[in-house]
Every structure is written in C-alpha cells, then in structure tokens.
Amino acid sequence: MISAVASRRHVIADDLRAQISTGRFKAGDRLPSEAQLAARYTVSTPTLRSALALLQAEGLVEKVHGKGNFVRLPLRTIKYIGGGLTPPTPALQISIRATKIRARGHLSTLLRVPAGSPLTEFHCLSHDDTSPHSLARVYIPRDLAPAVIPDESTWPATMATPLAEIEERLCARLPTPVEAATLRISPTLAVLAVTRVATDTAGRVVEAALLALPGDRAEAVFATHYTADNRRVER
C-alpha cells in the first residue's frame, strides 16, 4: 500500500511538472521557496523536499546551494568517446584548476607510483552558461604536467610522450556528496563513472583520470574496427 506521504509527494511533483511543461515556470526560473511551496501544498517541509527530489532526479529542477530551486535549462547531451583523450563537448565551456598534491591510496595504485610521489591534479568542470555538466579529475606525474594550465581551447593537454595504451573502466553508480553538490544533481541520480589510465611506450602511467557524467545527459560511444583478415581492433 502506498503511504499518504508518498502519494502526496507524487501529487506535488506532478503539479510542478505540469507547470514546468506548460511554461508557468520557464527554464532558468527560480521556484518559490521551499517554505512557500510547503505552505501552498499544506505539507511538511520534508514532504515538499521529497517531491522536489523527484524532479531533481528527472533533471527538471536543480537546487543551487544558498539560492533555491531552479528549473533546469534543456539538457545538452555529453558524448564520451572511448579510446582516446576526449575534448570538451562542443558548446560547453570548461573551467580548469590545477593543484599540486601527493599520491596517496588509490592514486598511488592507479599511477603505479610510491605513496608521496608528486602529482598535479587538474580539476575540470564543464558547464553550459551557469549549469554544470560533467566533472573530471585528471592526475599527471608532476614532471610530465604542462608548465602552463591549459584552457578550454587546448584541453586536453598534449602528452609529452607517445602513448601505447589507454585503459578505461566504466560503471554506473550513485554520485559522491562532492559530485552531487558540484554537478547540482540529486544524490539519487546515477552517474556514468569513467576511470581512464594512459600508459606510454615505456610502460609508465602518464595520466589517470576520474570522470563523473550525470546519467540523465551522458552517453558513451565505443567503436570496434576489423582488419582485412577479420581480426578485431577495438578503440
């Protein structure tokens, strides 16, 4: 049996969804405050937030910390191309922040370096206007990192050494609290998580990247090519 609270949150979500679809609330509009909406629907704040969470999970509404709930702009699909270093999706901007860190835990394992080895972390956030779209954290041994932080026109940075292999692992999972807050998505919305490790011809790991793409706007593309003798070559 569906509880009254569960039923009520769906009724509220349906009403707000209808107002969004008919243009009562337009893309970019801020919804009334949670207190105002709770009073309007005569429900408790937790019930109202539960209704909003449904719309957030659908990608219709995003919550901006300290500002309120906004109707999302139409979502632009992010296409992840397997087998290479992927440039930003056209029409999306990318902001890049570089930080000097030391390898610890899983980073030591991914990069196959001793704990404490110097790394440069590139924190890359793609966005459409003010709406964040995807998050990437790229780790490069410091002696291989570019001296100047690349901008969106030159990202990804050109590797200083020839690559021999790129291994990619993909999975669908719930976002971490930091990912949910950074991407402004519901913690119940799955992300496409990609772990990418690039190795040079000497067998050295020259880059490890951790990407999180919201599941409501991401697709991954992989191509398999065949040689003349029907051998399969994947990329």
Side-chain angles (χ1 to χ4, degrees), residues 145-167:
V148 178
I149 299 177
D151 59 24
E152 60 184 85
S153 65
T154 58
W155 183 263
T158 302
M159 289 294 178
T161 180
L163 297 181
E165 179 181 90
I166 295 178
E167 179 183 277

Side-chain angles (χ1 to χ4, degrees), residues 102-104 107-109 111-119:
R102 297 282 177 174
R104 296 284 186 273
L107 290 181
S108 296
T109 302
L111 287 146
R112 303 176 201 160
V113 295
S117 297
L119 307 175

Side-chain angles (χ1 to χ4, degrees), residues 56 59 61-65 67 70 72 125 129-133 178-187 189 214 217:
Q56 292 163 3
V61 171
E62 67 174 340
K63 185 170 184 175
V64 181
H65 182 69
K67 294 184 178 180
F70 292 79
R72 293 193 75 107
L125 181 64
D129 194 11
T130 60
S131 180
H133 270 247
V178 171
E179 290 169 343
T182 301
L183 295 169
R184 300 181 196 165
I185 58 175
S186 167
L189 175 66
R217 73 201 74 159

